[in-house]
């Protein structure tokens, strides 16, 4: 079992935590990580772009002129794609851009992303992180104690505990380069007692240089990905 230091909000070491090497110490599979990120970005596409074909544009019901003896080119409708205000050929139509990925591949991608951050020394484990009220300054002070500067994009991943971490999430909204996500929400599962990590994703991990998680979330991650 690999070990990592646990610090408090003041940046002081308060202990160590054992990490499952099958999750936090694997060889990163960059190909699967790319596939996961591609799946996420594709799922964000609305796919609402749409154009009208010659059968959908308005007008053009009457043949503009006779077929022969006019000296002009043959035309059957003023809504031909060759005409101004005509239909569009092979234009975009509403489409589902989502890409499917197996659960096994998703787990491999998450293990790879977490292991990559740990090997880089960019994974910080806190004993807990809670505020009495939403306050941007308090989160900035915590980041300063952890040695996180403004030039480093930081991702805070917190466990779902009703409203206990909502103040932290709101405190990070006004800090550029900082994102706070609530990782697991039992209410999203068919079984309320089932642990899941719906908010944890590869794109946010690789898109932020520093990753900050809590000891409670470490155990939940090991429970789901182990």
């Amino acid at each position: 079992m690999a070990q990592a230091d646990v610090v408090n909000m003041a940046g002081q070491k308060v202990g160590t935590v054992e990490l499952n090497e099958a999750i936090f110490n694997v060889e990163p599979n960059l190909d699967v990580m790319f596939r996961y990120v591609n799946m996420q970005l594709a799922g964000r596409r609305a796919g609402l772009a749409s154009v009208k074909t010659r059968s959908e544009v308005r007008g053009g019901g009457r043949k503009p002129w006779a077929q022969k003896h006019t000296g002009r080119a043959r035309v059957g409708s003023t809504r031909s794609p060759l005409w101004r205000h005509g239909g569009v050929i092979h234009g975009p139509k509403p489409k589902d851009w989502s890409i499917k990925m197996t659960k096994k591949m998703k787990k491999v991608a998450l293990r790879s992303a977490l292991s990559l951050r740990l090997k880089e020394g960019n994974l910080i484990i806190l004993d807990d992180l809670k505020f009495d009220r939403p306050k941007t300054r308090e989160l900035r002070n915590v980041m300063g104690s952890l040695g996180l500067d403004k030039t480093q994009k930081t991702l805070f991943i917190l466990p779902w505990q009703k409203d206990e971490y909502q103040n932290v999430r709101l405190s990070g909204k006004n800090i550029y380069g900082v994102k706070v996500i609530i990782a697991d929400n039992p209410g999203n599962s068919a079984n309320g007692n089932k642990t899941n990590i719906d908010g944890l994703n590869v794109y946010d991990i690789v898109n932020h240089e520093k990753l900050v998680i809590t000891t409670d979330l470490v155990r939940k991650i090991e429970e789901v990905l182990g």
Side-chain angles (χ1 to χ4, degrees), residues 7-110:
V7 298
N8 57 18
M9 292 192 298
Q12 302 170 343
K13 181 180 176 181
V14 294
T16 59
V17 61
E18 292 187 350
L19 302 177
N20 190 339
E21 293 190 355
I23 298 174
F24 291 93
N25 194 25
V26 300
E27 186 65 27
N29 191 324
L30 301 181
D31 176 66
V32 178
M33 289 174 61
F34 167 79
R35 292 171 184 267
Y36 193 109
V37 172
N38 188 39
M39 176 198 68
Q40 280 190 259
L41 297 181
R44 293 182 179 184
R45 299 184 65 174
L48 300 180
S50 180
V51 297
K52 292 183 178 181
T53 63
R54 63 181 299 167
S55 64
E56 296 171 326
V57 292
R58 185 176 180 180
R62 180 177 64 87
K63 186 176 176 65
W65 53 74
Q67 180 81 349
K68 297 179 180 294
H69 310 300
T70 63
R72 309 174 76 176
R74 293 172 290 184
V75 177
S77 171
T78 57
R79 291 302 175 255
S80 166
L82 303 178
W83 280 55
R84 184 169 178 260
H85 301 307
V88 178
I89 304 175
H90 304 309
K93 284 293 185 180
K95 176 181 178 180
D96 180 13
W97 290 94
S98 62
I99 301 174
K100 292 184 178 180
M101 194 173 183
T102 63
K103 292 182 180 179
K104 184 176 181 179
M105 292 181 68
K106 290 180 181 178
K107 289 185 177 182
V108 171
L110 286 170

Side-chain angles (χ1 to χ4, degrees), residues 29-219:
N29 191 324
L30 301 181
D31 176 66
V32 178
M33 289 174 61
F34 167 79
R35 292 171 184 267
Y36 193 109
V37 172
N38 188 39
M39 176 198 68
Q40 280 190 259
L41 297 181
R44 293 182 179 184
R45 299 184 65 174
L48 300 180
S50 180
V51 297
K52 292 183 178 181
T53 63
R54 63 181 299 167
S55 64
E56 296 171 326
V57 292
R58 185 176 180 180
R62 180 177 64 87
K63 186 176 176 65
W65 53 74
Q67 180 81 349
K68 297 179 180 294
H69 310 300
T70 63
R72 309 174 76 176
R74 293 172 290 184
V75 177
S77 171
T78 57
R79 291 302 175 255
S80 166
L82 303 178
W83 280 55
R84 184 169 178 260
H85 301 307
V88 178
I89 304 175
H90 304 309
K93 284 293 185 180
K95 176 181 178 180
D96 180 13
W97 290 94
S98 62
I99 301 174
K100 292 184 178 180
M101 194 173 183
T102 63
K103 292 182 180 179
K104 184 176 181 179
M105 292 181 68
K106 290 180 181 178
K107 289 185 177 182
V108 171
L110 286 170
R111 294 191 194 108
S112 299
L114 293 170
S115 299
L116 184 62
R117 285 291 174 258
L118 181 63
K119 289 182 178 180
E120 295 172 344
N122 291 329
L123 176 62
I124 300 174
I125 302 178
L126 290 175
D127 58 346
D128 205 357
L129 180 62
K130 293 180 182 178
F131 297 152
D132 295 332
R133 57 176 181 170
K135 196 70 175 178
T136 302
R137 183 181 301 173
E138 292 188 17
L139 186 57
R140 285 189 183 275
N141 293 336
V142 172
M143 293 178 61
S145 301
L146 298 177
L148 303 173
D149 56 46
K150 298 179 181 179
T151 61
Q152 297 172 319
K153 297 182 67 176
T154 305
L155 175 66
F156 289 86
I157 306 180
L158 304 174
W160 184 85
Q161 297 289 343
K162 293 185 179 180
D163 298 328
E164 295 184 20
Y165 294 103
Q166 294 302 319
N167 290 336
V168 182
R169 184 181 64 83
L170 295 175
S171 300
K173 282 192 170 184
N174 291 333
I175 305 178
Y176 178 78
V178 172
K179 184 175 183 179
V180 182
I181 60 177
I182 308 300
D184 61 310
N185 186 349
N188 292 338
S189 303
N191 181 0
N193 297 323
K194 181 180 178 181
T195 303
N196 60 77
I197 45 177
D198 292 337
L200 186 66
N201 64 88
V202 175
Y203 176 76
D204 281 331
I205 295 177
V206 300
N207 192 39
H208 293 80
E209 184 178 352
K210 295 290 185 178
L211 175 61
V212 182
I213 61 178
T214 64
T215 53
D216 289 341
L217 186 59
V218 170
R219 297 304 170 219

